[in-house]
Amino acid sequence: METEVLIVGAGPTGLMLANQLQRMDIRYEIVDIKDGPTNESRALAVTARSMELYQQLGLSSIVQQQAVELSGIRIFLDGKPRAIVDFTQSGQGFSDFPNFMNAFEQSKNEVLLAQNLQDQNKTVLWQHEFLQLSQTSDAIETIVKIGLQVRS
């Protein structure tokens, strides 16, 4: 395969990068060793800045519909409240999403971003393992394992 950009990893960051490159019409391939979006979530929330990135892709309203708005968090120590962090004005004056910290877990994020690529006829190359990179004066060559095959 020949491409301008190879993205290794189809987690939230890799998928967002792929979506942004797609939006800018830059040739890319995205590979991940997993067989699809994750089922578990390591990240639980999106911020106003994340929402601005979703807005660029035309996806912010979907996130708003699926997410749960967080007004803040309470921090406890030894069963006693020690601090309250208020999110209700976190983006005030800085963003189109001024009151934003939403619970939108990683699994939903990955499904949404992968589906958006698929809707544009671009797929994540699941079950592809990045193995090696080498650089010459004219090119960068990578080796990616596809299932049981090795392809460069």
Side-chain angles (χ1 to χ4, degrees):
M1 80 179 85
E2 197 169 304
T3 187
E4 291 180 64
V5 178
L6 175 64
I7 303 167
V8 178
T13 303
L15 287 165
M16 180 58 81
L17 176 58
N19 273 272
Q20 292 293 341
L21 292 174
Q22 182 76 19
R23 184 174 70 86
M24 293 181 255
D25 202 28
I26 296 173
R27 286 184 319 127
Y28 68 92
E29 294 294 339
I30 179 170
V31 300
D32 197 296
I33 196 167
K34 300 184 315 256
D35 63 0
T38 187
N39 292 322
E40 71 280 347
S41 294
R42 295 173 193 98
L44 297 176
V46 293
T47 63
R49 181 62 186 132
S50 296
M51 290 303 297
E52 291 167 353
L53 294 172
Y54 281 118
Q55 186 179 45
Q56 292 173 353
L57 300 172
L59 300 174
S60 58
S61 62
I62 295 170
V63 175
Q64 286 177 308
Q65 290 167 2
Q66 294 181 14
V68 175
E69 188 171 331
L70 303 174
S71 59
I73 59 171
R74 293 175 190 236
I75 300 171
F76 290 80
L77 180 63
D78 296 326
K80 296 178 183 169
R82 296 294 181 194
I84 297 174
V85 180
D86 181 10
F87 297 143
T88 59
Q89 300 298 314
S90 60
Q92 194 69 39
F94 299 104
S95 174
D96 289 344
F97 305 92
N99 304 325
F100 238 87
M101 179 68 78
N102 276 346
F104 185 66
E105 65 259 20
Q106 179 175 337
S107 55
K108 288 182 179 179
N109 182 350
E110 289 183 17
V111 167
L112 176 65
L113 292 171
Q115 183 62 53
N116 193 56
L117 292 175
Q118 192 170 6
D119 291 348
Q120 298 174 68
N121 299 314
K122 188 70 177 177
T123 58
V124 176
L125 300 174
W126 300 110
Q127 297 182 315
H128 285 56
E129 181 181 9
F130 172 79
L131 296 175
Q132 184 178 339
L133 177 137
S134 58
Q135 182 174 351
T136 66
S137 59
D138 327 6
I140 296 174
E141 184 173 307
T142 61
I143 298 175
V144 175
K145 182 178 178 183
I146 305 168
L148 298 176
Q149 302 172 15
V150 176
R151 181 170 126 191
S152 62

